[in-house]
Amino acid sequence: MTSPVAALAKGPGCGGASWYALTSRTASGERMNASYLTAAHRSLAFGTKVQVTNKRNGKSVVVRINDRGPFIRGRVLDLSKAAASNIGMVSSGTASVCYRVIG
C-alpha cells in the first residue's frame, strides 16, 4: 500500500476517466456504492482525496480513492456513477479529466 506522503508526491495528472457502478467489494475491502463520491486509481493510497475536473465542461468533484484501476490504457481514474454524474460524464461514459490530490 502506498503511504499518504507518496500519494502527495504524485501531484496532478490528466488522462481519460470512465465510470462504474458494480456492487462487488472494492480493493480496499468496502462494498462499492454507486451513490458515494469514490474512485479507483492504480497507485494512490486508499482514502486519498482527489479533485477531478472534466476538461470539456470545467465541472469538478472531490472523490475518495477506495479501489484499484482503471485497467485500460490511457485512463487514469474510474469514477463512481455519482462522481461521474457530478462532472457531467454519465451519458458519454468517458471523459478527459485532470486530477489533483487535495489536503
Side-chain angles (χ1 to χ4, degrees):
M1 185 160 95
T2 306
S3 73
V5 173
L8 292 174
K10 290 279 185 185
C14 294
S18 53
W19 66 269
Y20 68 124
L22 304 175
T23 57
S24 60
R25 294 225 178 260
T26 65
S28 67
E30 66 185 86
R31 179 141 324 262
M32 172 66 179
N33 186 325
S35 65
Y36 292 170
L37 298 177
T38 58
H41 186 274
R42 287 184 196 93
S43 61
L44 290 175
F46 295 138
T48 301
K49 299 279 178 107
V50 178
Q51 181 180 27
V52 182
T53 303
N54 184 331
K55 290 172 65 175
R56 182 181 54 81
N57 60 21
K59 292 182 179 181
S60 293
V61 65
V62 174
V63 297
R64 178 179 52 86
I65 303 298
N66 74 335
D67 204 2
R68 291 290 171 235
F71 301 108
I72 296 176
R73 185 186 309 267
R75 294 195 189 159
V76 294
L77 292 167
D78 276 337
L79 303 173
S80 65
K81 187 174 183 181
S85 179
N86 271 282
I87 63 171
M89 62 171 271
V90 170
S91 61
S92 62
T94 61
S96 181
V97 300
C98 287
Y99 68 93
R100 67 181 181 91
V101 174
I102 59 171

